[in-house]
Amino acid sequence: MKIAHRIKIVGVVQGVGFRPFVYRLATNLNLFGYVVNKGGAEVEIFIEGEKRNVEKFTELLEKEKPPPAIFINEHIKSNVLHVLYLQLPDLLNASSSLEVFNKNPEIYKMATDLFMWSRKLMKVLGGRFHNIVNIRVGGVYSMPEKKEVEALSSQSERAITYARKLSEFVLDNQDKFPSYEQKIKPLVLCDAIEYPFISRNICSDEMRFEISKFEEEVVPEQVPYSNSLRYRLRSGENYVVGPISRFNTSFYNLRGEVRRMLKSYGCMPPLKNMSYSIVARIAELYEFILRITDFIDNYRYVQVNEKSFEIKEGTYYGAVEAPRGILYHRYTVNKRGLIEDANIIPPTSQNLISMEAFSMYHLEKIGLINKAEQLEKAHQEVQKIIRLFDPCISCSVH
């Protein structure tokens, strides 16, 4: 039976990617309708289709939220930095990003312009160019003035063009990737609607568990030659967090134009070599620039009011998909509202075991195991594998 339903949403719904989010949600459920801005902090959704799908839409609308523009821009900045300074030089067998500039000045300038644009976005949305300071419990401290956001729009179409060209440049160089395959076991936040950012659940192939079970399913270990904690699944398997895992599990949550571009170059999931992580990164870069452009084009200023909250005794869990992968937090709070115990597990620590395993496998495949006379070459090859994971030194010592 088909029904129609009208929904009124009140809150910070203007300029946060809400309409594209509703569109993707409705499309996945084969529903039709429209979203109308009613002014201020209100929108109206009209939806029609099969009764069970309309009911599912309403249920998911209450549970799910579009990813914040600030968060999307964090990924843009991180991905373009990694591609430009770490993976492009390795892909092109260049000694540094300066050599990339000398050989491919147009591509280098496009990537640099994208980075500078993302820095401007970060300042407007997050309060400063790096490590945002505009986030607080329940949302943000302030929304930018409309004129600040409009000042960015003149460069947004160019940013889309540059992201597409940079993506095509990388895809044109696929022949430089190693031909062997690796088993890449993903660990990602589960999200059937969106490309994963925030979720209550974590997935790895057939396994699925709630965030609160993270420290039961993912166990730490140490080795004599390192002070760092490293992690593997309770089953004993090593796993990978980050862009290539998100790509392999959530490819069909990318926009159609991004998927079509990748498909035209034969890049479909699952990607089976870590060298293809640059493909996952340029796919995310292109996707997120399209999303942030939607945000800019549809932005409306809304006055943000401080939300009251009460700190209660208990243990609290959270996880987000940071650019490098899952970032997990746990806090135990006492009756006085003080944190008695905490644990933070960053993505770099989770990837350490895989970094080592893939490095050894790579050396074996290219014939550099136990070759003392080629030790320097082996070191260079291992460094390339490590850079594929975009390790963060500060993350690894939490």
Side-chain angles (χ1 to χ4, degrees):
M1 181 178 70
K2 290 188 176 182
I3 64 169
H5 193 41
R6 200 178 300 272
I7 306 166
K8 182 172 74 172
I9 305 291
V10 178
V12 182
V13 290
Q14 309 286 6
V16 293
F18 186 77
R19 283 190 291 178
F21 166 75
V22 170
Y23 171 79
R24 287 190 291 274
L25 180 58
T27 300
N28 286 342
L29 293 169
N30 198 30
L31 298 173
F32 301 91
Y34 55 82
V35 180
V36 178
N37 291 320
K38 305 296 285 185
E42 181 182 330
V43 297
E44 182 180 273
I45 302 169
F46 177 81
I47 203 79
E48 62 179 336
E50 291 295 328
K51 183 174 183 291
R52 64 179 182 278
N53 290 345
V54 172
E55 290 173 348
K56 184 67 174 177
F57 174 87
T58 305
E59 176 189 341
L60 290 173
L61 196 63
E62 293 176 354
K63 291 181 178 179
E64 308 295 338
K65 292 180 175 59
I70 290 177
F71 197 34
I72 291 173
N73 193 55
E74 284 267 19
H75 281 251
I76 293 173
K77 184 170 71 70
S78 177
N79 281 336
V80 73
L81 269 177
H82 181 92
V83 169
L84 178 59
Y85 291 110
L86 293 180
Q87 279 197 272
L88 262 187
D90 287 339
L91 177 65
L92 301 175
N93 200 27
S95 59
S96 68
S97 61
L98 182 59
E99 189 177 338
V100 174
F101 169 72
N102 290 332
K103 291 181 177 179
N104 304 275
E106 183 182 1
I107 289 297
Y108 187 93
K109 185 179 185 304
M110 286 181 188
T112 304
D113 285 352
L114 283 175
F115 172 62
M116 297 308 295
W117 182 68
S118 72
R119 275 174 55 87
K120 291 177 184 176
L121 272 168
M122 192 73 75
K123 179 70 167 63
V124 170
L125 302 178
R128 62 181 182 183
F129 295 118
H130 186 65
N131 292 342
I132 55 179
V133 293
N134 194 25
I135 297 290
R136 67 175 174 185
V137 175
V140 296
Y141 286 99
S142 64
M143 297 282 283
E145 296 291 338
K146 187 172 176 60
K147 63 181 180 181
E148 294 180 280
V149 177
E150 286 178 341
L152 300 165
S153 64
S154 61
Q155 299 176 18
S156 55
E157 285 302 318
R158 185 174 66 180
I160 293 173
T161 300
Y162 284 1
R164 173 86 187 203
K165 288 185 175 181
L166 179 60
S167 300
E168 291 173 341
F169 179 81
V170 169
L171 294 167
D172 281 332
N173 282 277
Q174 285 183 76
D175 60 313
K176 296 180 173 64
F177 294 145
S179 58
Y180 64 83
E181 294 184 357
Q182 297 165 309
K183 181 183 178 182
I184 301 174
K185 189 171 184 64
L187 192 72
V188 294
L189 297 186
C190 308
D191 196 325
I193 302 165
E194 274 282 358
Y195 202 75
F197 285 98
I198 302 170
S199 177
R200 301 175 180 86
N201 297 295
I202 297 173
C203 296
S204 179
D205 294 336
E206 309 83 20
M207 182 172 64
R208 181 186 180 100
F209 56 90
E210 293 182 357
I211 294 172
S212 60
K213 305 296 183 183
F214 189 87
E215 291 176 72
E216 296 177 22
E217 299 294 340
V218 175
V219 295
E221 64 178 51
Q222 280 188 291
V223 290
Y225 53 84
S226 174
N227 291 325
S228 297
L229 287 175
R230 52 191 59 209
Y231 296 84
R232 66 172 77 243
L233 294 175
R234 184 163 52 91
S235 63
E237 297 174 280
N238 59 300
Y239 62 91
V240 174
V241 298
I244 197 167
S245 291
R246 292 192 292 262
F247 182 99
N248 282 347
T249 57
S250 300
F251 175 84
Y252 292 99
N253 287 344
L254 295 169
R255 294 191 178 197
E257 62 191 277
V258 180
R259 297 198 310 270
R260 285 189 291 273
M261 176 195 69
L262 293 161
K263 188 176 182 179
S264 70
Y265 283 89
C267 280
M268 300 287 287
L271 303 176
K272 296 182 179 180
N273 187 292
M274 276 304 300
S275 294
Y276 277 85
S277 63
I278 190 174
V279 171
R281 282 191 171 87
I282 56 100
E284 290 190 348
L285 179 66
Y286 190 14
E287 170 77 15
F288 298 153
I289 285 177
L290 289 170
R291 292 191 184 201
I292 207 74
T293 300
D294 281 346
F295 168 83
I296 291 170
D297 291 344
N298 294 292
Y299 183 76
R300 286 177 171 80
Y301 173 79
V302 176
Q303 179 66 43
V304 177
N305 298 316
E306 183 176 356
K307 295 183 178 180
S308 60
F309 60 91
E310 180 183 355
I311 300 176
K312 295 183 178 180
E313 181 182 13
T315 300
Y316 300 90
Y317 307 87
V320 298
E321 281 286 349
R324 294 174 179 89
I326 294 173
L327 172 61
Y328 166 82
H329 285 233
R330 170 184 54 76
Y331 301 96
T332 299
V333 180
N334 65 20
K335 292 179 180 179
R336 295 184 295 161
L338 301 177
I339 296 173
E340 289 187 336
D341 186 48
N343 193 15
I344 299 173
I345 303 179
T348 294
S349 300
Q350 298 178 66
N351 279 332
L352 281 176
I353 293 176
S354 289
M355 281 187 212
E356 289 189 357
F358 289 173
S359 294
M360 295 303 293
Y361 189 70
H362 177 64
L363 292 180
E364 179 185 338
K365 286 294 184 181
I366 62 175
L368 287 178
I369 290 286
N370 298 324
K371 297 290 180 67
E373 70 279 7
Q374 297 190 58
L375 190 58
E376 184 177 348
K377 174 65 174 174
H379 284 168
Q380 291 171 354
E381 290 298 319
V382 168
Q383 288 170 15
K384 289 180 182 179
I385 298 300
I386 291 171
R387 285 193 285 268
L388 298 175
F389 291 86
D390 191 15
C392 172
I393 294 173
S394 60
C395 286
S396 65
V397 297
H398 274 307

